[in-house]
Amino acid sequence: MSVINMDVSFRGDITSHAFLPEGLQTVVLDGEAYVAGVVIQHGKESKHGSLWFLLKSGSSSNSEEVHYVSLEGHGRPGFFRSTDKENTFLVGLECRLVLVTVDPTSWSCSVDEDHPIAVFDIGDNVDDRIMMNDGTVSPDNDVICGFKDFRFDVNACLAFTRVLWSDGTEGVLFGKEVCANGNGFIPINESPSFIHVETASQKVLFSPYASFLAHHGTDKEGGDLATSVLIDFKDCSVFDAFSKDVFHSALMPDGICVWKTSDGHSKLAVSVFDYRPDVVRDGQVIQFDITDASAVKVDAVYTTKGSPRTTHPAIIQNVNGEFELWTTTADEGLLATLEERKASDDVSNIGATFKCALPTQYAPCESYHALPLFHIATS
């Protein structure tokens, strides 16, 4: 067990690019591998965001090497995933799933608004406060879409998690949420499992994958997917092995990544969004061993100096074949709050993307692949 300091990889060259980056992953454009992600929105009042791409063979230390593809006029992207069509991505834009094709020669894109993959009914009288915030693709090509309420209203609970099943039907995994976040698939208790984060509850939940699949057809009755608590971030005993400053009341789980090691252990990294605005603290990504749900333990805590709101981790294999842990961090109003207070804190790292070498004992197994592709239906 260890505490590992991460280094800044880059920070957006304008403040809007640092407002709310998320969705870290590896993608391929024209045969070249990129580290990529989303900027959900370019400011508190912004109604659009962007995708961004950093060539893996670049120095990954200069923001000028990061290419931003604007989605102005199309909305705010909560997440995106590669597809089986070259340079085309499945993007969760507001309340719809659309295909976006990126041209890396001009860093522009075309958005297929005429043929959306899905348009989710988010209800009446919610304006633009409800949108997709996180998503992933299951091993069977189901698309999980977690929504959030931008007002973070813990009493109204207007958000939810929907699923577009591979047969084209829609369903509800969870209702009455505030901020649905990370989703993933990994073996737990020697059984394939589905993991889900609901930030406001400060809990990571899990369900056997068989139960996830069996929910298809029953979810229209309004019941949530049956789950168990994997990690409760309000339980300080989980963090007893570390110094007292690791545990605090603002441990809000955000994005996640999961992987399996060469010795068969299942790992979960959780970015922690520390919302406290009083001072600039260091951020945290906490890595757990979740092989056995009854014996979850902390492996390591990765820290992001001067940027407390970490949002999404990812395991990235660099050009030398070595594995690294990356995480995005966000401003999301912290800079404005500090400016109002005329704080003297160093804010240069807020909204930066960080990385560090992944300790070799935690390296993914040889069959590791970052995220499943979304297979576009041809019929």
Side-chain angles (χ1 to χ4, degrees):
M1 296 178 289
S2 54
V3 176
I4 300 169
N5 297 321
M6 305 181 80
D7 298 318
V8 172
S9 174
F10 70 91
R11 186 179 186 272
D13 55 357
I14 58 175
T15 303
S16 61
H17 290 159
F19 188 76
L20 191 48
E22 289 209 27
L24 266 177
Q25 59 197 284
T26 297
V27 304
V28 175
L29 287 168
D30 284 352
E32 295 272 14
Y34 290 80
V35 179
V38 302
V39 178
I40 292 181
Q41 62 188 92
H42 288 179
K44 183 178 180 180
E45 304 301 328
S46 174
K47 304 303 180 187
H48 77 276
S50 57
L51 310 181
W52 61 263
F53 303 88
L54 171 67
L55 187 64
K56 268 195 180 184
S57 59
S59 68
S60 68
S61 61
N62 189 335
S63 61
E64 293 179 0
E65 297 180 359
V66 183
H67 303 282
Y68 292 88
V69 177
S70 174
L71 291 166
E72 187 169 4
H74 299 283
R76 299 164 295 183
F79 74 96
F80 77 118
R81 290 291 180 267
S82 298
T83 72
D84 52 3
K85 183 178 179 181
E86 187 177 24
N87 295 0
T88 298
F89 302 95
L90 177 73
V91 181
L93 269 174
E94 302 289 348
C95 64
R96 63 199 189 279
L97 292 170
V98 297
L99 296 176
V100 176
T101 300
V102 173
D103 181 354
T105 63
S106 62
W107 296 110
S108 60
C109 69
S110 60
V111 182
D112 190 357
E113 296 281 18
D114 294 331
H115 306 93
I117 301 299
V119 179
F120 295 102
D121 180 5
I122 61 172
D124 300 325
N125 303 317
V126 294
D127 301 318
D128 58 357
R129 63 188 282 187
I130 307 297
M131 65 160 285
M132 268 183 260
N133 182 53
D134 187 274
T136 196
V137 179
S138 80
D140 288 285
N141 211 43
D142 311 302
V143 185
I144 295 87
C145 304
F147 287 72
K148 75 174 179 180
D149 177 1
F150 266 102
R151 298 183 191 175
F152 215 79
D153 189 334
V154 296
N155 295 313
C157 293
L158 295 176
F160 39 76
T161 297
R162 302 283 177 82
V163 57
L164 177 68
W165 297 106
S166 58
D167 63 5
T169 59
E170 299 175 15
V172 179
L173 291 179
F174 306 101
K176 298 186 179 304
E177 294 186 304
V178 178
C179 184
N181 238 308
N183 299 280
F185 296 89
I186 191 76
I188 301 175
N189 300 337
E190 300 183 346
S191 175
S193 299
F194 167 60
I195 292 178
H196 177 69
V197 172
E198 207 290 315
T199 297
S201 71
Q202 294 181 259
K203 292 177 181 178
V204 180
L205 309 173
F206 81 102
S207 178
Y209 188 51
S211 298
F212 168 84
L213 293 176
H215 197 63
H216 186 194
T218 66
D219 47 22
K220 293 180 181 178
E221 299 173 4
D224 285 0
L225 174 66
T227 60
S228 301
V229 175
L230 184 65
I231 301 164
D232 185 346
F233 278 78
K234 298 187 297 294
D235 180 3
C236 62
S237 67
V238 176
F239 306 94
D240 280 349
F242 287 90
S243 59
K244 292 181 180 180
D245 59 350
V246 171
F247 177 81
H248 53 80
S249 61
L251 281 173
M252 307 299 285
D254 204 300
I256 66 170
C257 66
V258 292
W259 70 100
K260 195 170 182 179
T261 62
S262 56
D263 60 356
H265 283 254
S266 293
K267 302 296 181 181
L268 165 70
V270 183
S271 284
V272 172
F273 189 97
D274 184 342
Y275 59 84
R276 294 175 294 179
D278 53 335
V279 296
V280 176
R281 297 176 171 84
D282 295 344
Q284 299 166 311
V285 177
I286 303 177
Q287 179 184 308
F288 299 89
D289 188 304
I290 58 170
T291 308
D292 182 347
S294 66
V296 172
K297 63 179 182 179
V298 178
D299 285 331
V301 176
Y302 304 86
T303 62
T304 57
K305 184 175 178 56
S307 194
R309 299 179 173 182
T310 72
T311 54
H312 199 286
I315 300 297
I316 304 292
Q317 190 171 22
N318 66 25
V319 293
N320 299 318
E322 301 159 335
F323 287 101
E324 299 170 336
L325 179 72
W326 289 52
T327 188
T328 47
T329 72
D331 158 21
E332 202 164 0
L334 180 57
L335 287 171
T337 301
L338 293 169
E339 186 176 349
E340 287 174 4
R341 289 180 32 242
K342 295 181 170 49
S344 59
D345 307 63
D346 180 1
V347 299
S348 59
N349 284 351
I350 293 176
T353 295
F354 292 75
K355 68 174 183 177
C356 67
L358 186 70
T360 54
Q361 67 266 35
Y362 305 136
C365 59
E366 290 185 7
S367 60
Y368 166 80
H369 59 88
L371 295 165
L373 295 174
F374 175 68
H375 296 277
I376 302 171
T378 55
S379 57

